Amino acid sequence: METMTVERVIKAPINEVFAWLTTTTNYTRSPLVLRCTLTRHGEGTPYGVGAVRSHLWLMGGSANASRTTTRPTPPSTSWSAACRLPGTSSAA
């Protein structure tokens, strides 16, 4: 398993930035994301712990599903993502 940590300072109110980042459908505003869907609601809120998001990225045509692993509250949240590249089996 690989771990990737991404950090970026955005000069905007933290609650607005956090709301944008944790709402999957916003990702299609990027030219790199073709499709994003919330496939399962989380505990307490749509993007709470246990929420599952499905993404299709333009880069390499990769698809991934991510599950929220910590309660999403500013300034951070965590996801566990499983990626599959085209032409590969989903079985390990």
Side-chain angles (χ1 to χ4, degrees):
M1 179 173 85
E2 297 292 327
T3 299
M4 178 174 67
T5 300
V6 178
E7 293 183 15
R8 172 112 191 226
V9 175
I10 300 171
K11 293 190 182 232
I14 192 168
N15 288 330
E16 289 179 28
V17 173
F18 188 81
W20 194 96
L21 289 171
T22 56
T23 303
T24 295
T25 53
N26 287 330
Y27 289 27
T28 57
R29 293 181 185 179
S30 163
L32 301 176
V33 180
L34 299 175
R35 184 177 61 235
C36 290
T37 310
L38 178 63
T39 56
R40 187 168 84 197
H41 284 234
E43 297 174 17
T45 68
Y47 293 98
V49 173
V52 176
R53 308 174 317 162
S54 184
H55 300 171
L56 179 61
W57 296 80
L58 182 62
M59 298 182 315
S62 67
N64 82 43
S66 61
R67 177 183 313 271
T68 305
T69 57
T70 62
R71 178 179 163 85
T73 55
S76 66
T77 188
S78 296
W79 296 280
S80 174
C83 296
R84 185 175 62 80
L85 297 175
T88 62
S89 171
S90 60

